[in-house]
Amino acid sequence: MNPSSRTARTTPSADFLVFSAEVAAARAAGQPVVALESTIISHGMPYPQNVQTAREVEALIRAEGAVPATIAILDGKIRIGLSDAELELLGRSPEAMKVSRRDLPFVLASGRIGATTVAATMICAELAGIEVFVTGGIGGVHRGAETSFDISADLQELAQTSVAVVCAGAKSILDIGLTLEYLETHGVPVLSVGQDNFAAFYTPDSGFKADFRLDTAAEQARFLRCKWDLGLRGGVVVSNPVPAAEAMPREEIDAITAQALQEAEAQGISGKAVTPFLLARIKALTEGRSLATNIALVKNNARVGAQLARAMQALA
């Protein structure tokens, strides 16, 4: 366990944590635990595919020998692990707020329902002593950020919060080149699994190289242990490309993304609303094929993340 995780549970912030029975038992038994975000349930996919996918991803992690811990904010507490009923609530509720770092105090203090983004899930996972987090794709530098300054809080969180984030790279709606430049500036290592290049969510290859290629969970775990044991705080991006059989053609998704971005600008959509709008439009323009790819890549990430959590536990 990294040093920050050892001390986190002794701080007042730990009073906000509530562990599900399954996660609590795993912690007591020293089993590997994998964090999962909840924004993908509330804002990333339509109902009922969102809840069904969440349950299937949790099942995949269990099948790989780890314990899933889907994270959300309910009744003024950070819930580390959710019941079926709570997953259903997040999947159906229009009240669920999209929660990043800045929103955590408000949602906790007000007792509202909150679905955690990559940034907020990283914070909550570190508080809970969980070192591996599985998501779909990270946020990043948005196209046109040189005038809008629209940069996802995920990137700054990666610079300061010591959690490994297993993802299918960055969403193709972003400026991937600038996203990687930002991560480099802040000292965030980008690892790639099975290929040299960074992944681009719907497609395996962004055209940009990752920092290091580490194909096995054992190699990735040794890297993480070395980083954190050196006292180098901050996260690590583990880029795991979508399987080729489920990927979308790069030219097609690039053209559709450009159209969706133009529509968002024309409608004045900005801030937190941009990503959900773009994902919904891309789904509509691809007649649902992008959603199938999204589900496939999340499941693929779950397998890799569970294997990494097991390898990390073996080195603890």
Side-chain angles (χ1 to χ4, degrees), residues 196-267:
D196 293 334
N197 280 4
F198 187 63
F201 200 67
Y202 296 118
T203 58
D205 187 351
S206 68
F208 295 90
K209 285 199 72 171
D211 297 323
F212 312 105
R213 175 175 173 173
L214 296 176
D215 291 346
T216 71
E219 291 173 311
Q220 297 153 18
R222 285 195 297 271
F223 180 98
L224 291 165
R225 281 278 172 259
C226 185
K227 179 185 190 301
W228 291 331
D229 286 349
L230 284 169
L232 298 174
R233 282 192 54 78
V236 174
V237 176
V238 181
S239 168
N240 181 43
V242 60
E246 281 87 20
M248 296 197 65
R250 184 170 169 181
E251 297 78 10
E252 179 187 7
I253 198 64
D254 283 351
I256 287 172
T257 298
Q259 179 180 338
L261 283 163
Q262 288 173 356
E263 292 178 9
E265 184 177 0
Q267 295 179 38

Side-chain angles (χ1 to χ4, degrees), residues 108-133:
L108 285 166
S110 64
R112 301 196 184 195
I113 299 174
T116 53
T117 62
V118 168
T121 305
M122 288 183 72
I123 294 168
C124 298
E126 187 176 48
L127 288 173
I130 302 172
E131 298 175 310
V132 178
F133 160 40

Side-chain angles (χ1 to χ4, degrees), residues 86-107:
E86 288 162 345
L87 286 175
E88 188 77 20
L89 173 64
L90 278 170
R92 285 179 175 269
S93 176
E95 314 264 311
M97 288 187 62
K98 189 176 180 182
V99 179
S100 190
R101 169 178 277 267
R102 72 170 183 190
D103 312 300
L104 269 171
F106 174 78
V107 177

